[in-house]
Every structure is written in C-alpha cells, then in structure tokens.
Amino acid sequence: MRLEYLTGNHAIAEAAIIAGLKFYAGYPITPSTEIFEYLASKLPTKGGVVLQFEDEIASINAVIGASWAGAKAMTATSGPGFSLMVEALSLAIMTETPLVLAYVMRAGPSTGIATKAGQYDVMQVRWAAHGNYELVVYAPWSVQECLDLTIKAFNVSEMLRVPVILLSDATLAHIWERVVIREPPEVSIVNRKKPKVPRDKYKPYEPEEDLVPPMACFGEGYRVLVESLTHDERGYYKATNEVQRRLVWRLVNKVLKNKHLISDSATYLVDDADYVLIAYGSTARSAYALIRELRSKGIKVGLYRPKLLWPLDEEMLINSTIKAKKVFVVENNVGVYVREISRVLRNKEVISIPIIDIEVPTPDEIFEVMKEWI
Amino acid sequence: MDIIHPLDRYLRTDRLPHIWCPGCGIGIVISAMLRAIDRHISEGHFTQDDVATVSGIGCTARATLYLNFDSAHVIHGRAIPFAIGLKVIKPNLKVIVIGGDGDIAAIGGNHLLHSARRNMDITVIMVNNMVYGMTGGQVAPTTPMKVYTTTTPYGNLEYPLNLIKLVSSLNTNYVARASVTHPHLIERYIYNALSRDGFSFIEVISICPEVFGRHIGFRNPVELFNKLKSMIKFKAKPSIDESDIVWGKEIVLGEYVNEYKSGFIKLLYGS
Ligand SMILES: Cc1ncc(C[n+]2csc(CCOP(=O)(O)OP(=O)(O)O)c2C)c(N)n1
C-alpha cells in the first residue's frame, strides 16, 4: 500500500498498470489525454506497448486485436472519439473481447467545450452501438474511485469477456486528490479463463456454466476464429433464428446473470430518509455535500449513488428508496438518466433536477430546485 | 478430416462449399496464398500455428473464415488495425490481412496508408475487382472512369485510385501487383512478402464476372478472364509511372518496391 497525490486521469492509468495492462492504443482528445501520456511514459517500462493511431476507430480495433493476442488492452477517449468507436464496441461485444475503455466526458454536443465537464453521454455510452446487448459501465466520483473502478473494470472485462467502460468526466479528470494505491496481492486481479480441453475439442464460443466461454488466443494453436457475423459455438456463421436467439440471449444473460459479481453502489443516510437524492459521478459530490447540510438542519434526506451505471442494479435502487416520499435525480445534463430511474421506481414520485454546469452543479444550485418540492 | 487436396490442411473443409460465385477470382488468390504459405512452412520458416489471417467485410474478406489458421473476420475496413494489435503483442505471428478494394482502399484507406507509413510488419493482400462485390455492384475507388455501376447509373466520373503509387510513396518494404490471370506471380509475390520484415502490400487484379463483368458487358467469366489477360504486361522492374490502370489498355504487373529496411517491430523491441 502506498499513498499518492494524483489526478483522476493519472489514477485511471496507474490502475490500468496494476490491473496488468499490456497494450494501450489511442488518439489524443481532451480531457482524456493525460491517461495516454502517463501510460506512454510508464507502460513501456513495465513491458507494455503504447501506440498512437490515426484515429479512434483504429485505436479500438487495435485494442481488440491485442486482446485476442492475449494482452490486457485499453483505450481512452471523450465524446467525439467514442462516437467513432461504437461500431467496434459492438464488435467487441459480439466477439466477447475483454477490453477497457475509459470515457472521459466533456460538454457537448459536437466539439462543445473540450476542457469542461458534463454528463450528457450516459445514454449514448449505453445505447450508441448497434444490436442488442448489456454493457457494463462504471462511474467514479473521486480520484480514489477512478483507481478502484478501473481495476474492477479490468477484472470484470476478463471475467465476463466483455468490453467495460469507465465513465469519468472533465472535472474528475483534472482534480488532484490523495489516493491509496494497493497492488497485488493486496488487491485481487482477475485473468480470463483459458481452455481446459484439447486443441481439437476447443470451441471459442462454447460457454461454461457462468455463460462465459474460456478464451484461447492467437498463436496458441487453437485455431481461433474471431467472427463478427452471427456464429455458433465454433464461430461458424449461421443465419438461423435458433443460433441468433441463442447467441444474443447468452451475450445479454452473461452480464445479467453475473450481476452480483459486478454490481456496485453506495448509499448515505437512506434508511430513514423522506427524500432520496440519486446522483452519479462528479455531480454526486455536490449531492453528498447537500444532504449533509440538510441533515444538519433536521431534514431527513439521503443519497443513493450508483457506481455501476449500466446495467442499473434495480434491487439496490428499490431497497435504497423504499421509505422515500420523493426521489430526486440530479445530473449535469438535461435530465436523461432519470428515465432509467423512473422506469424502475414506477410508483414513486421521481423528480428530475437537471443542472447544466461546466464544472459541477453546486449544492446551492441543486437545493434551489429541490426546495420547491420539500 | 479427410485430406483430399494437399492444401486442405490449411482449410476448414467442414465449412465448404464457399460462398463465391462461379467464375470469381478470389479462389485463385486464396490457393496461391496457401501455396506460398505452404512453401514457407515446408522450408521451416514458420509453422501453421504462427500464421494469423485477418479480414474485414466483403466477398474477399470471407476468405478468413475458411482458413485453418488463427483468424479474424472483423468489421468493414478495420482489419489492418486489428492486425497491428495482434502483431505488436505477438511479434512472432505472421500476420496477413486480406480484403477487397473497398475494404482496404476506401473505408480502410486511412489505416492502409498509416500502416504503410509505419512500415508495420504485416502483409496486406488487396483483391482488386474494381467494384463492390458483396453489396451488389456499387462503384469502388478503383472503378475505371465512365463505368456504369448501381450507384453511378450515369457513368463513373471519378479517376480511379492507383494503390501501387499510393503505397509506394510511403515507407514500405514491398509493393507488388499480380493478377488472377497469372497465379504463379501471386504465389511468388506473397512468398516474397512473407520473407521479410516491415510492411508488404500486394494488389491482385481479379475478376468479378457476376457484378463487374455485368457492368462492362463481360458476363461470361472466360471472356472477362481473357479480356483481363490481354491487358496484362509483366515487367521485371516496373516503374511506378507505369502503374496506372486504364481499363482496356495496359495493366503492369511486377514488384514495384522491394526492400529490406527494419520494420516497426524491430524499432519497437530491438532485434
Ligand atoms: C461500416 C460498413 N459500411 C458498409 C458495409 C457494407 N459493405 C459490406 S462489404 C462492402 C464492400 C465490398 O466491396 P470490397 O471491399 O471491394 O470487397 P468485395 O466484396 O468486392 O470482395 C460494403 C460497402 C459494412 N459491412 N460496414
């Protein structure tokens, strides 16, 4: 264990190295670039490779290739770059390729304000890629969590053979905080399952009981086939309902059935709360400050903070708001994740508090809206 | 697996028959490629387990899913970056990208030029049928001028891209043009490409009677094949100035760049 003073971006890079990163490919974009630069100087000293590509499309496709060569691999970007990456994200889902993508949100649409924050892309990140799938997305609220959730992102990606996204923002990217860094064996690192059968019996997409297939990599003699077409357990293209249904449902259920292994959230003072705030990422810092202030004035208010943004842990959400008369969803955007909350809390009064702030919505700004309702 | 043909060991024979139309040139390219690989393997340069084939999407790109190597059939245009990811992590792999002219030169064109510029240690085989085959006959960046396609119903107004000139202008080790009319050259060039470090690029002029042939009035594969053959000229030392393809005139085959500079992998890892 050691203590360091780092930015959110540095913490993501540091965590990736601890998790066993061996390949980073990227294209510079504010506010994610420090992840790239930190790794460019540090990863080669740990036996890894860092390459700058001609665009984000090449970057993520190279990451997928490197993962199939057996390396833990990642990229980082922001909104404009993620928009270019989504076709390959769908490929990673389809081919069950472990990788980590750090998405450092900035103010949009389009080029927006490159250096400033926002949470506009929480829906885009989940839904932008084509086809149906479940996507694992973590949202840290501090530099410490940038570190912890990046390690978790790698572990989950290896465990489930899925791409995992770490959704940070421009504010977290650049604040400096003290972090506790733990390395193995103080922190556990997961590696993908390897085949347990002889080479001629191996099928690259044949799942075990947890719905995850063991993964052979290139150059190991298994004659793997990475296939973007709908495929059976061997990786062979089959255009039938049976194979399409079996594949799509397994890809979805492999995430949902293992939810207990990936779920992560925090609650503060919700047990007796009349009002529960729901916030994620950097905005949750102000929501937290606000509930402490209101508690000191005797108002029974709590906070539910999903760290696993997608898929939302519905049970945790319901349990954390069970006694609440009203639920407030605070976001640094026009109010989008509130739709997901309302979908689950059908019988509750769910109030959206959308505050566009290029840094972080302040506790006062939040209270200004909230006070009309309490 | 019953071995019927000596190259069957390099095929996933349980997947045959393949999807390619009668008269298509892709099979000629694949068998020439397998003979080149087989020669290297029998000479002990590498093993079957060391070969990786990567492709995007298209008729040509379908090749990888019939090949009995570690293979990837990924997304349209992105085979090259996937291949680079493989190569830098497993430098011992012989990484071969195969694709159509749309896959490699249109949507994937940016990756082609940057991987060539890096002298990245992969071999790219581009099968140039001068049209989009898989999607049914749209214009390609290689389609000759004036040709009617489904998306240029009034004739193609654009000058075709000369890939030999483009790739030769970059820092590559090997650039060659072959044709399905001369399979022994395809084999020789792929063999030569696989004999060196750095980036190697082979354009193989091919025939697509079903789609391109229909557009230019040569539906009969034999007639199209003979038409192409009549334009082909082999040169031992061709100059880049004579590499433009003008349909109906001359298509010059040969090795345009033939060097042995250090590739990217050697710069990255040392020798
Ligand atoms: C992103 C994307 N755009 C478009 C397509 C549709 N598409 C599939 S193959 C192809 C072009 C095929 O032409 P070429 O690469 O020349 O290969 P050929 O079929 O002629 O061998 C296109 C446009 C796709 N699969 N993905």
Side-chain angles (χ1 to χ4, degrees), chain A residues 54 218-219 223-224 226-227, chain B residues 49 70 73-74 90 111 118:
Chain A
E54 51 274 18
F218 278 59
R223 307 282 151 77
V224 293
V226 181
E227 180 56 273
Chain B
D49 287 348
D70 286 327
H73 178 233
V74 292
K90 289 250 167 93
H111 310 311
R118 294 180 184 109

Side-chain angles (χ1 to χ4, degrees), chain B residues 101-102 106 129-132 138-144 149 151 156 158 160:
Chain B
D101 40 298
N129 55 13
M130 303 178 195
V131 77
Y132 283 15
Q138 299 77 25
V139 72
T142 46
T143 305
T149 75
T151 48
N156 178 27
E158 300 173 16

Side-chain angles (χ1 to χ4, degrees), chain A residues 288-304:
Chain A
Y288 180 67
L290 178 62
I291 64 155
R292 300 227 318 189
E293 197 182 313
L294 294 182
R295 277 278 171 176
S296 73
K297 292 180 180 146
I299 301 172
K300 286 187 179 165
V301 48
L303 171 66
Y304 175 67

Side-chain angles (χ1 to χ4, degrees), chain A residues 148-330:
Chain A
D148 297 341
L149 291 179
T150 298
I151 294 175
K152 189 160 189 166
F154 273 97
N155 285 347
V156 170
S157 79
E158 293 284 319
M159 188 167 59
L160 301 185
R161 270 184 75 174
V162 290
V164 176
I165 294 177
L166 187 89
L167 192 65
S168 176
D169 67 44
T171 299
L172 287 173
H174 297 138
I175 54 172
W176 292 82
E177 286 178 338
R178 206 178 63 152
V179 286
V180 181
I181 299 179
R182 292 188 176 81
E183 310 219 8
E186 284 186 306
V187 60
S188 73
I189 300 299
V190 179
N191 296 311
R192 60 191 73 166
K193 297 187 286 193
K194 300 308 288 179
K196 299 167 187 82
V197 296
R199 289 171 184 195
D200 55 325
K201 295 266 159 23
Y202 176 69
K203 299 190 187 118
Y205 305 96
E206 188 172 56
E208 295 187 328
E209 213 169 318
D210 61 358
L211 302 183
V212 184
M215 186 170 176
C217 292
F218 278 59
E220 296 173 353
Y222 286 88
R223 307 282 151 77
V224 293
L225 180 56
V226 181
E227 180 56 273
S228 67
L229 290 162
T230 290
H231 49 263
D232 65 14
E233 286 65 24
R234 297 167 300 177
Y236 287 12
Y237 173 50
K238 286 264 156 57
T240 67
N241 262 330
E242 193 211 330
V243 172
Q244 174 70 5
R245 285 174 184 162
R246 194 163 76 224
L247 177 62
V248 172
W249 282 115
R250 183 175 64 75
L251 293 179
V252 165
N253 286 332
K254 141 177 116 157
V255 175
L256 295 182
K257 292 223 167 109
N258 291 301
K259 205 152 160 184
H260 57 288
L261 300 172
I262 64 175
S263 184
D264 207 345
S265 60
T267 54
Y268 309 87
L269 309 168
V270 292
D271 289 348
D272 65 341
D274 294 329
Y275 309 106
V276 170
L277 268 67
I278 296 175
Y280 52 88
S282 59
T283 302
R285 298 164 76 103
S286 294
Y288 180 67
L290 178 62
I291 64 155
R292 300 227 318 189
E293 197 182 313
L294 294 182
R295 277 278 171 176
S296 73
K297 292 180 180 146
I299 301 172
K300 286 187 179 165
V301 48
L303 171 66
Y304 175 67
R305 181 170 72 85
K307 300 187 208 175
L308 178 70
L309 218 49
W310 299 105
L312 173 64
D313 188 335
E314 300 180 10
E315 222 177 285
M316 265 306 286
L317 172 65
I318 290 167
N319 290 340
S320 309
T321 52
I322 217 146
K323 293 210 191 95
K325 291 184 211 133
K326 289 190 174 74
V327 170
F328 299 89
V329 183
V330 190

Side-chain angles (χ1 to χ4, degrees), chain A residues 23 49 51-55 57-58 61-62 64-66 69 87 218-219 223-229 236-237, chain B residues 12 14-15 48-49 52 65 68 70-75 78 81-82 85-86 88-90 111 114 118 264 269:
Chain A
F23 182 77
V49 176
L51 292 182
Q52 181 169 326
F53 275 83
E54 51 274 18
D55 57 29
I57 302 174
N61 282 285
I64 295 171
E87 189 199 8
F218 278 59
R223 307 282 151 77
V224 293
L225 180 56
V226 181
E227 180 56 273
S228 67
L229 290 162
Y236 287 12
Y237 173 50
Chain B
R12 297 176 189 255
D14 58 338
R15 302 203 70 175
Q48 191 166 350
D49 287 348
L65 50 95
N68 193 19
D70 286 327
S71 293
H73 178 233
V74 292
I75 51 178
R78 316 304 169 193
F82 183 102
L86 279 180
V88 297
I89 295 301
K90 289 250 167 93
H111 310 311
H114 286 283
R118 294 180 184 109
F264 181 86
Y269 289 111

